[in-house]
Amino acid sequence: LKDSCSSLANFVIEHLLEHRECEHLPAMPNFTVDQIRTIMDKTEFIRSMSVIAHVDHGKSTLTDSLICKAGIISAKHAGDARFTDTRADEQERGVTIKSTGVSLYFETDDDDGKGSLPYLINLIDSPGHVDFSSEVTAALRITDGAMVVVDCIEGCAVQTETVLRQSLAERVKPCLFVNKVDRCILELQMEPEDMYGRFRKAIEDVNVIVATYHDVLMGDVQVAP
């Protein structure tokens, strides 16, 4: 009986290790509730940012990586968990439908002698599909900045121009993130000069869109290669 129970226990453990669904759930965070509550009273250390891009350019995967850095999900499942896709239909279709926010705690040292300073970052993952543009606008209106994600291979797509236009219309300063760099190496096996040209073109295309919808009150918001 003892041997049977031991075998059954080993079987259950192995089964859970292979098929458990809890691995995509929150891991041990790098912050505590008290730290979050304390910094909520210091508005100068709070930043709100939305992630905007064309569909399938990697917004949710990038968000997963940032959430992983905060220790909320494991590194093993960063990118596959789609942590901010909380609805069943989002997980089923693999498409973000509703804007979803998550709070991250991050400490940085600016080498100014003040030591590490804590920041509360409210990150909003917004949809990339054209049918859900209203969700992007809603996210932009409550954030300080927008992280524009661009696939380095596909470059600026139709929805990239749309979300950039929305960002500039709401006077939210965009920050460019060139994504899927590994495709140049693993998929296309490009030479370094070709890769540089591809990255430069993506940046220049973004600058063209920014210049087209430029707002004088925002100043110069173009990015340099």
Side-chain angles (χ1 to χ4, degrees), residues 94-190:
V95 176
T96 304
I97 298 175
K98 300 287 288 185
S99 292
T100 305
V102 59
S103 294
L104 309 175
Y105 182 86
F106 181 72
E107 292 184 354
T108 181
D109 191 349
D110 296 332
D111 295 329
D112 54 1
K114 297 181 180 179
S116 297
L117 294 176
Y119 285 90
L120 177 62
I121 302 174
N122 298 316
L123 193 67
I124 299 179
D125 181 25
S126 60
H129 199 280
V130 64
D131 292 341
F132 311 119
S133 296
S134 60
E135 289 289 322
V136 178
T137 302
L140 288 170
R141 288 181 177 179
I142 59 173
T143 52
D144 306 312
M147 185 183 298
V148 184
V149 182
V150 176
D151 187 325
C152 68
I153 300 299
E154 297 182 10
C156 288
V158 176
Q159 193 64 9
T160 307
E161 179 177 354
T162 302
V163 296
L164 260 175
R165 186 177 71 246
Q166 289 176 278
S167 174
L168 296 172
E170 299 296 335
R171 292 178 180 169
V172 175
K173 187 174 182 178
C175 171
L176 178 62
F177 184 91
V178 180
N179 201 21
K180 300 187 181 182
V181 176
D182 57 320
R183 291 186 63 188
C184 294
I185 304 171
L186 302 176
E187 184 178 324
L188 301 180
Q189 299 181 355
M190 300 173 64

Side-chain angles (χ1 to χ4, degrees), residues 12 22 32 50 71-72 80 95 118 127 145 179 183-184 207 214 218 224:
V12 171
C22 61
T32 64
S50 55
I72 298 178
D80 297 326
V95 176
N179 201 21
R183 291 186 63 188
C184 294
N207 282 335
H214 176 64
M218 291 185 65

Side-chain angles (χ1 to χ4, degrees), residues 187-204:
E187 184 178 324
L188 301 180
Q189 299 181 355
M190 300 173 64
E191 295 294 328
E193 289 188 7
D194 295 332
M195 291 174 58
Y196 174 78
R198 186 71 63 122
F199 301 156
R200 187 182 181 90
K201 183 179 185 305
I203 296 171
E204 289 176 348

